[in-house]
Amino acid sequence: MSKLIGRKTIVLCLMIIVSLGFTHTNKDVEVRKIMHPDNLVTGELEAGVPTASEIIFQTERPIPFLRKEFNGFKEALAFKESQGNYFSINTYGYMGKYQFGTSTLHLIGVYNPNSFLKNPALQEKAFLAYTSRNKWVLRRDINRFVGKRFNGIKITESGILAAAHLAGPGHVKKYLRSGGKFQFADAYGTTIKDYMKKFSGYDLSAIPANKKAKA
């Protein structure tokens, strides 16, 4: 009799364990179904190891998405300049993520190129300062020419400031005031027109125009 009770207890325990196992599996499936990207309105992917479909989702739709604002602008320009590499030095000695020359760095208060190259935070400050300074230098041209078309390209503030990063604000003034006839290309053949087109349409209204901006 005691052996029979013992067997029944073991069977009952096994049934409970199996039942709990199926319940957990079903809940896990349900959670993943709810949290799958295609079913989300807001929120994040489930923490932990991603499913195969989540990996495909992240590959097809890169995260995060950079909007057409300052962060998107600076990252797009950095990729064009150096593929986003803080420690890059090109064949002409331009350095860092945004490919600054030493004379430009002096304008914004940076006098040690070696320290600059090793300091990503300083490089970000330098880009913001230089963009802010160029916005002040070109403020009248921005007001005058934004919305016009030269060489089939609509002039935008972000296009002007990107071109100033490439060529310097003085050359950009000449380009705009000549109606796009003035030609400039850097050592690799990239022109003001190229940057006006490639970096058109970003909203840089949050960046102040500051004559004395320093990194």
Side-chain angles (χ1 to χ4, degrees):
M1 183 68 177
S2 60
K3 288 183 180 180
L4 181 59
I5 293 173
R7 288 175 183 174
K8 286 183 178 180
T9 302
I10 292 170
V11 170
L12 181 60
C13 289
L14 289 173
M15 290 176 65
I16 291 171
I17 291 169
V18 171
S19 175
L20 288 173
F22 279 117
T23 302
H24 172 74
T25 303
N26 291 337
K27 284 183 178 179
D28 182 61
V29 169
E30 187 63 25
V31 167
R32 288 194 177 275
K33 182 178 179 182
I34 293 170
M35 296 304 293
H36 187 276
D38 292 335
N39 298 323
L40 282 174
V41 177
T42 59
E44 300 176 356
L45 297 180
E46 179 186 6
V49 180
T51 63
S53 60
E54 285 168 357
I55 293 170
I56 293 170
F57 167 81
Q58 293 186 31
T59 303
E60 291 177 347
R61 307 179 210 178
I63 301 172
F65 173 73
L66 295 174
R67 296 182 295 178
K68 296 279 278 189
E69 296 175 358
F70 179 67
N71 282 341
F73 171 75
K74 74 182 185 68
E75 293 304 325
L77 193 146
F79 188 81
K80 179 67 172 70
E81 293 286 331
S82 69
Q83 293 191 322
N85 182 358
Y86 285 109
F87 311 106
S88 171
I89 302 176
N90 76 7
T91 51
Y92 297 94
Y94 290 85
M95 65 189 76
K97 181 178 177 180
Y98 302 101
Q99 294 291 281
F100 279 101
T102 53
S103 60
T104 300
L105 289 175
H106 291 170
L107 287 175
I108 53 176
V110 178
Y111 300 100
N112 189 326
N114 291 328
S115 295
F116 173 79
L117 191 62
K118 297 174 184 176
N119 191 336
L122 181 57
Q123 292 187 35
E124 295 296 339
K125 289 179 181 178
F127 181 76
L128 177 58
Y130 190 52
T131 303
S132 186
R133 184 182 185 279
N134 284 339
K135 189 170 182 176
W136 185 88
V137 174
L138 291 162
R139 64 197 184 284
R140 293 189 181 92
D141 298 275
I142 290 169
N143 289 334
R144 180 180 173 187
F145 293 106
V146 165
K148 297 184 182 297
R149 285 187 176 272
F150 298 152
N151 302 314
I153 297 169
K154 184 178 179 180
I155 304 301
T156 66
E157 180 183 70
S158 60
I160 289 173
L161 294 177
H165 187 86
L166 172 76
H171 286 136
V172 174
K173 282 186 178 184
K174 291 179 181 179
Y175 177 87
L176 293 171
R177 295 177 187 184
S178 70
K181 294 178 182 178
F182 173 77
Q183 298 298 314
F184 172 90
D186 72 0
Y188 299 103
T190 305
T191 67
I192 287 175
K193 176 184 173 182
D194 294 333
Y195 267 41
M196 287 278 188
K197 181 178 180 180
K198 187 173 185 65
F199 300 104
S200 173
Y202 289 86
D203 179 6
L204 304 185
S205 59
I207 304 305
N210 184 355
K211 179 183 179 179
K212 299 180 180 180
K214 300 293 182 183

